């Protein structure tokens, strides 16, 4: 009898563990779907887009996006798997690294140049 109670208790813990895993998987899937929707909106606003995934440690993975018009942006996913799933769902072209022709598509404006110069000694103050 004691063995039966112990077995049921263990089974309950296993079931709860599976439920928690299922909830985490569902949460990750929803997050990937939201990111894919945001990637799609970016691509639509910029005449298409390409991307690259960059692992940023415990914070997650950065999804760097570059539009066909040179506009750029990024999103952060909680994990590499979520970022990869979002990129797949969005259907954009992904690159292994941020270099070459892909990096050359990025167009920076006065805002970015002011920020970069403002970080240098003697550069203009960053008023943004």
């Amino acid at each position: 009898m004691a063995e039966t109670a112990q077995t049921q208790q263990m089974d309950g813990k296993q079931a709860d563990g599976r439920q928690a895993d299922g909830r985490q998987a569902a949460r990750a899937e929803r997050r990937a779907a939201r990111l894919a929707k945001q990637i799609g909106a970016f691509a639509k606003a910029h005449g298409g887009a390409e991307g690259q995934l960059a692992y940023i440690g415990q914070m997650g993975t950065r999804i760097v996006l570059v539009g066909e018009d040179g506009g750029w942006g990024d999103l952060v996913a909680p994990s590499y798997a979520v970022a990869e799933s979002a990129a797949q769902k969005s259907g954009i072209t992904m690159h292994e690294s941020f270099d070459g022709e892909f990096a050359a598509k990025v167009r920076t404006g006065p805002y970015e140049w002011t920020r970069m110069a403002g970080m240098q000694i003697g550069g203009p103050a960053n008023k943004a």
Side-chain angles (χ1 to χ4, degrees):
M1 181 101 173
E3 287 180 30
T4 305
Q6 189 176 16
T7 303
Q8 288 174 347
Q9 189 176 29
M10 291 294 288
D11 289 343
K13 287 182 182 178
Q14 289 173 353
D16 288 346
R18 285 188 209 118
Q19 269 187 330
D21 289 345
R23 278 185 259 146
Q24 286 177 335
R27 182 179 297 149
E29 186 63 30
R30 286 190 304 271
R31 182 67 174 141
R34 276 193 304 267
L35 287 166
K37 191 174 181 178
Q38 291 173 311
I39 293 168
F42 177 90
K44 185 177 179 184
H46 295 276
E50 298 176 43
Q52 188 258 336
L53 303 181
Y55 178 70
I56 54 175
Q58 286 183 333
M59 291 182 65
T61 298
R62 182 178 185 207
I63 305 168
V64 181
L65 301 169
V66 179
E68 289 301 315
D69 63 357
W72 59 277
D74 68 346
L75 299 166
V76 176
S79 70
Y80 194 88
V82 170
E84 197 170 40
S85 177
Q88 268 184 335
K89 289 176 187 298
S90 71
I92 65 170
T93 301
M94 296 301 292
H95 296 268
E96 289 294 318
S97 61
F98 194 80
D99 59 4
E101 289 180 29
F102 179 53
K105 288 184 177 186
V106 175
R107 298 290 172 246
T108 54
Y111 171 77
E112 289 85 7
W113 284 104
T114 300
R115 281 191 54 102
M116 288 185 276
M119 293 179 187
Q120 304 297 317
I121 296 175
N126 184 10
K127 296 179 181 167

